[in-house]
Amino acid sequence: MNASILLVLLLQTSVVLGIALVIAAMAKRSPSLRLAVLRVSLLATVGLAICLPLSSHRTSPLVPVEWNPASTIRIPAASKTATTTPKSTPETSVTSQNPTPATLPTEIAVNESHPLDIVQIVAVAWILGSTALAIHLVIGLVSLAAIRRNARPAKFESILARLANTARAQGILPPELLESDRVGAPFVAGIVRPAIYLPTGWLECQDAETLDAILFHEVSHIANRDLRWSLFHRVLTIAFWFQPLLWLVKRPLIAAGEELCDLRVVDSGIPSERYAGCLLSLRETRGGQPAPSLGIGAVSSKSLLAKRVEALLDDRNVRTAKLSRRITALTRVGAIGVRVWRYG
């Protein structure tokens, strides 16, 4: 991928992600719409990255950029006589056939200096940045694997039955329920084998309504495929870390997923005031310890938790947890249209 294709990719993905961020900022009362638009923008980013090199032969690209840093740099001669054609004499003809090093063209002298290739610098920076982020992802995987290896399955039959009913209501298989001393607050993690991780002894200290709320929230993350999309966004950020809008998408993507799960908890019959109190007490009792980098916790950061509680307690904030069929169809058509346009 040369520099011109990289620049075009950066500009086109900026347009797609920028539009998605604007729509997400405008659709404050529809977390499902925000989530759908942001996810489509991630798919469109991958589509552009795959299709752009294949369509580089187009005669009229979106951003026509022609740049080859390795090309020869032509420097005009400094003297005025270099632009004029001297009269042909026997002495000058012999000199022109056997030029001395002092009379060599400036173009050849520049080529012998071997200027540093900017494309190579960009490629090295790209590889180094992606490698550092990939190492951080591997460390997260190892940390999560260590927590799972030392965790113990919960042995409360009544709670496991509630978990099975909650998962069945959302159309998925019940995840594992694990307890560990390394866990500070409930969170869900795992793509192939999703599991809900709880601090040791946490189940005995909670009432039935709090348990139902937290379990329903974590199961909703699995049903919404938030774990897969979170990993997909992280891999995309590793591959295209130079795109700043990909980093900006992370926070609204998490916020929309958390808000949508909160709405589903309220729709299950738990009062919003009671659920908001559960979130606040959970953060106070456990100190709000964050979940691992590959997990999604029931208690998020302070700023995001404050917005979630405010939304739950705002009676004027009429929101919907479902996406209409018309909007779903439009988002799918938009994603397909981006791919067709790139091949066209």
Side-chain angles (χ1 to χ4, degrees):
M1 182 179 293
N2 55 34
S4 62
I5 296 180
L6 185 62
L7 179 58
V8 173
L9 176 62
L10 182 62
L11 293 176
Q12 292 185 353
T13 53
S14 297
V15 172
V16 173
L17 295 172
I19 293 175
L21 287 172
V22 171
I23 295 176
M26 296 174 61
K28 294 182 179 180
R29 299 189 177 184
S30 180
S32 55
L33 176 59
R34 280 183 282 152
L35 198 62
V37 170
L38 293 173
R39 288 179 175 180
V40 168
S41 68
L42 296 182
L43 292 176
T45 300
V46 175
L48 290 172
I50 295 175
C51 300
L52 186 59
L54 301 178
S55 60
S56 58
H57 63 278
R58 292 177 58 178
T59 57
S60 57
L62 178 62
V63 182
V65 178
E66 296 181 1
W67 177 44
N68 186 4
S71 61
T72 303
I73 303 175
R74 298 180 181 273
I75 302 176
S79 62
K80 185 177 180 181
T81 56
T83 60
T84 60
T85 305
K87 295 181 180 180
S88 177
T89 60
E91 295 180 357
T92 58
S93 62
V94 173
T95 304
S96 61
Q97 293 177 1
N98 299 295
T100 60
T103 61
L104 286 175
T106 309
E107 178 183 340
I108 300 178
V110 171
N111 283 337
E112 290 179 351
S113 63
H114 299 290
L116 192 60
D117 193 351
I118 300 180
V119 176
Q120 294 180 356
I121 297 177
V122 173
V124 171
W126 190 349
I127 294 174
L128 290 177
S130 298
T131 302
L133 294 174
I135 292 175
H136 188 265
L137 176 61
V138 172
I139 294 175
L141 290 172
V142 173
S143 176
L144 182 61
I147 294 175
R148 189 182 187 104
R149 185 169 54 252
N150 296 324
R152 301 175 300 275
K155 299 180 179 180
F156 295 89
E157 297 297 334
S158 58
I159 297 177
L160 293 177
R162 289 183 182 179
L163 179 61
N165 294 332
T166 301
R168 192 180 303 109
Q170 301 198 42
I172 63 172
L173 296 175
E176 294 185 70
L177 192 62
L178 305 176
E179 293 182 310
S180 175
D181 297 333
R182 299 185 179 184
V183 176
F187 70 90
V188 61
I191 304 298
V192 180
R193 295 187 303 161
I196 298 176
Y197 296 82
L198 302 174
T200 302
W202 185 82
L203 292 173
E204 294 89 336
C205 303
Q206 307 300 322
D207 57 272
E209 193 171 36
T210 301
L211 284 174
D212 291 338
I214 299 303
L215 293 179
F216 202 98
H217 180 91
E218 301 300 348
V219 171
S220 297
H221 279 302
I222 302 175
N224 294 342
R225 297 178 177 86
D226 290 336
L227 294 168
R228 298 180 182 179
W229 281 99
S230 178
L231 181 61
F232 175 70
H233 173 264
R234 188 162 181 178
V235 172
L236 194 61
T237 306
I238 292 174
F240 303 104
W241 59 267
F242 55 85
Q243 172 53 268
L245 294 184
L246 271 177
W247 298 89
L248 295 179
V249 165
K250 179 181 179 180
R251 185 175 179 83
L253 189 67
I254 294 175
E258 292 289 350
E259 190 175 347
L260 185 59
C261 292
D262 291 341
L263 285 178
R264 292 191 172 180
V265 172
V266 175
D267 291 342
S268 67
I270 298 176
S272 57
E273 296 81 3
R274 176 59 178 167
Y275 178 56
C278 292
L279 295 177
L280 293 175
S281 62
L282 182 61
R283 182 173 183 86
E284 292 176 357
T285 55
R286 288 294 172 177
Q289 297 184 19
S293 58
L294 295 176
I296 301 178
V299 179
S300 50
S301 62
K302 291 183 179 180
S303 59
L304 183 55
L305 180 61
K307 292 181 179 180
R308 291 169 58 189
V309 173
E310 182 181 359
L312 289 170
L313 299 179
D314 189 1
D315 296 334
R316 298 173 300 174
N317 193 10
V318 181
R319 301 166 297 165
T320 175
K322 297 182 180 180
L323 194 64
S324 64
R325 294 182 179 179
R326 181 178 300 179
I327 296 178
T328 303
L330 288 176
T331 54
R332 292 178 180 177
V333 171
I336 296 174
V338 171
R339 298 181 182 180
V340 173
W341 174 76
R342 291 308 308 162
Y343 281 111

